[in-house]
Amino acid sequence: MPAVPSSVIEPIWCQFEALIPAVADKHPLGCHRPRVPDRVVFDKLIQVLVFGVAYRKIEDASCSATTIRRRRDEWIAAGMFTRLEQICLDGYDKMIGLELENVVVDGCIVKAPCGGQAAGPSPVDRGKQGTKRSLMVDGQGIPIGCVTAGANRNDSPLLEATLDKLARFGFDLPEQITVHLDAGYDSHKTRDLLDTLGCDHQISTKGEPLQAGARWVVERTNSWHTRGFRKLQICTEVRTRVIDAFIAFANAIIITRRLIAQAWTRYRWNNRPHKQP
């Protein structure tokens, strides 16, 4: 069984392939070993992301663990995963439409047994190492921005950096944005920040029964992250830039899957799945 259905991964690969920069052959005699095809490494990275396996567990005659890590780092340095995520967002916005009038932000803590730059003592796991993801989604739960930090960081101080991710949409933002938050953000500091940014807000009140409101979509997206991508459920990467790259990669898959599901009832195209995803 493939890690991701071909109806989802093939359009992602087409966009990703177009972003891969040309590699110059610098060997003076031109007699080194042939370069491992990019598609092979791409498929290996999907397996790492979905199954959460170590690189050495999936190496074979076609591609070594060292090649996977080296090519991954090359693509991260070129900013390809972030650009892929942005292309998927632009495509979704063009065909379906992002609901940026309402955005929802919430934090999610996952295990980080290897520690690293984005790890800290987890308040929900007996002080073991963990990573927090401050995730922002639109009104339908499409991931539009994420900030990683140690698990011991509070949600509220990460809010400004998370909302700064809206800058990726440039001048296409709506005139008025309402930010939906849970009781962990219920403070004067948070309200002052949102007032400074010119955003309306709906914040759950501390000490009162759970007020779900419109925040359930971010909980669903957090579930897509942790249940659909083992690499995000247990963070074994040490460097923040690698963690962010895998999050962007997962977001690209989620956005594409939602785009196909929403477009299935609206459009017709070649290679359209026979049934709704």
Side-chain angles (χ1 to χ4, degrees):
M1 180 178 179
V4 178
S6 60
S7 61
V8 175
I9 207 59
E10 287 302 327
I12 293 178
W13 164 247
C14 290
Q15 293 294 335
F16 193 84
E17 184 181 26
L19 297 174
I20 299 176
V23 178
D25 187 354
K26 298 181 180 179
H27 195 282
L29 301 178
C31 57
H32 53 72
R33 294 176 59 185
R35 183 178 172 87
V36 176
D38 292 321
R39 180 59 192 264
V40 174
V41 182
F42 180 82
D43 289 339
K44 293 291 186 183
L45 285 176
I46 291 177
Q47 294 176 34
V48 171
L49 174 63
V50 174
F51 301 130
V53 295
Y55 297 99
R56 289 197 175 277
K57 294 293 186 180
I58 60 170
E59 69 176 356
D60 52 28
S62 66
C63 185
S64 68
T66 300
T67 299
I68 299 172
R69 289 191 292 265
R70 183 184 298 121
R71 198 75 57 86
R72 175 206 65 190
D73 291 341
E74 289 178 6
W75 290 344
I76 291 175
M80 292 177 53
F81 293 101
T82 302
R83 292 165 64 189
L84 175 66
E85 181 188 24
Q86 186 63 49
I87 289 173
C88 293
L89 281 171
D90 292 340
Y92 186 94
D93 191 26
K94 181 177 180 180
M95 298 185 66
I96 307 299
L98 291 168
E99 295 187 16
L100 298 178
E101 296 83 3
N102 293 283
V103 299
V104 192
V105 181
D106 196 13
C108 175
I109 296 177
V110 297
K111 295 178 181 292
C114 300
Q117 297 173 347
S122 175
V124 297
D125 193 18
R126 298 171 293 175
K128 294 181 179 180
Q129 293 293 294
T131 295
K132 172 170 285 188
R133 295 194 300 265
S134 179
L135 178 66
M136 176 171 57
V137 303
D138 79 335
Q140 292 298 319
I142 300 299
I144 56 178
C146 187
V147 172
T148 55
N152 55 329
R153 294 287 302 278
N154 291 329
D155 290 337
S156 186
L158 299 175
L159 179 60
E160 184 174 4
T162 306
L163 292 175
D164 286 344
K165 298 292 184 179
L166 289 171
R168 71 194 312 170
F169 300 106
F171 297 102
D172 294 331
L173 292 173
E175 294 183 0
Q176 195 60 44
I177 298 176
T178 301
V179 182
H180 300 264
L181 304 167
D182 66 13
Y185 300 87
D186 186 14
S187 67
H188 293 296
K189 183 177 179 180
T190 298
R191 290 181 170 82
D192 291 342
L193 170 63
L194 294 175
D195 290 340
T196 301
L197 297 176
C199 298
D200 291 337
H201 50 78
Q202 291 187 9
I203 305 175
S204 300
T205 306
K206 291 181 180 179
E208 294 188 3
L210 179 64
Q211 308 124 58
R215 293 187 297 101
W216 68 272
V217 292
V218 73
E219 303 291 349
R220 182 183 62 177
T221 306
N222 277 326
S223 177
W224 287 341
H225 275 161
T226 56
R227 296 178 67 87
F229 305 98
R230 182 73 173 175
K231 193 68 169 178
L232 303 187
Q233 183 180 20
I234 301 178
C235 181
T236 55
E237 298 292 345
V238 174
R239 292 178 293 169
T240 302
R241 65 197 300 247
V242 179
I243 298 172
D244 291 342
F246 275 119
I247 293 173
F249 201 10
N251 287 343
I253 295 173
I254 290 173
I255 296 165
T256 303
R257 183 185 292 134
R258 294 298 300 165
L259 172 58
I260 295 174
Q262 295 288 332
W264 196 85
T265 57
R266 304 188 189 192
Y267 304 102
R268 297 290 184 271
W269 66 92
N270 294 333
N271 301 323
R272 176 174 176 266
H274 296 295
K275 61 180 181 179
Q276 188 172 8

